[in-house]
Amino acid sequence: MTFSHLDAQNQPTMVDVSAKESTHRVAIASGKIRMGAQAYQAISDNTLKKGPVIQTAIVAAIMGAKQTSTLIPMCHPLNLSGVHVQVLECPQESAFLVRVRVQCQGQTGVEMEALTGVSVGLLTIYDMAKSLDKSMVMGEIQLEQKSGGKSGDYTIQRS
């Protein structure tokens, strides 16, 4: 078996994508953070001392998507053309869902940028609300869909 991220001498390498066609790439990822009712209400009501949690998480998710190649060793730096972030309230679960949509015109996909954006957004919510609830749980981080590129389109199959 040959590995795409190892060269002929078994040394790490970043895949050369220069021969790949540039296409419009889009990826959407999401993740959820669950917490106690008090922390959830404080975030929803915007009453935390640290400031507006949702707005800060949106900015953090955008920044996370833009910094992906500095965090994930074999990710290519991409010229992102757009990052859109939603933070949705899930009151029945005392949770917030972070959804990130990333797009670019390029030779490699933006799945990792969308997933990184989600992760950084969730971590920001945790950071800003940990004084109220250190037991918050982040999870269900997943690629929901992607389009563009050689591998084609993908949409998560929900049961």
Side-chain angles (χ1 to χ4, degrees):
M1 174 188 278
T2 58
F3 296 104
S4 62
H5 287 76
L6 293 178
D7 65 15
Q9 291 76 38
N10 276 340
Q11 296 302 312
T13 188
M14 190 163 75
V15 173
D16 182 356
V17 297
S18 58
K20 290 176 77 176
E21 182 182 343
S22 181
T23 62
H24 185 246
R25 315 283 185 132
V26 178
I28 300 171
S30 64
K32 197 174 275 189
I33 184 166
R34 290 180 172 80
M35 62 198 66
Q38 179 189 13
Y40 177 82
Q41 201 59 52
I43 293 170
S44 293
D45 294 344
N46 199 22
T47 58
L48 275 155
K49 286 189 223 177
K50 289 189 177 183
V53 175
I54 301 303
Q55 291 87 340
T56 306
I58 290 169
V59 171
I62 293 168
M63 291 175 67
K66 291 168 45 176
Q67 292 297 315
T68 300
S69 68
T70 64
L71 299 169
I72 310 295
M74 301 304 173
C75 281
H76 294 80
L78 299 176
N79 186 16
L80 303 182
S81 56
V83 180
H84 178 74
V85 180
Q86 295 176 294
V87 179
L88 305 172
E89 295 185 8
C90 305
Q92 67 283 3
E93 303 174 68
S94 293
F96 294 93
L97 177 82
V98 175
R99 180 172 288 129
V100 177
R101 181 182 192 274
V102 180
Q103 61 184 5
C104 80
Q105 182 74 26
Q107 295 165 299
T108 188
V110 289
E111 298 95 293
M112 293 306 300
E113 287 71 15
L115 290 162
T116 301
V118 166
S119 299
V120 173
L122 293 171
L123 286 166
T124 299
I125 294 170
Y126 184 95
D127 179 54
M128 293 188 75
K130 67 183 181 272
S131 64
L132 293 177
D133 185 358
K134 290 177 181 40
S135 68
M136 290 178 277
V137 176
M138 293 165 274
E140 301 174 45
I141 299 168
Q142 61 190 351
L143 179 67
E144 291 186 0
Q145 66 185 78
K146 73 112 186 140
S147 63
K150 183 179 173 182
S151 67
D153 296 349
Y154 165 81
T155 301
I156 191 170
Q157 300 300 314
R158 303 213 191 268
S159 50

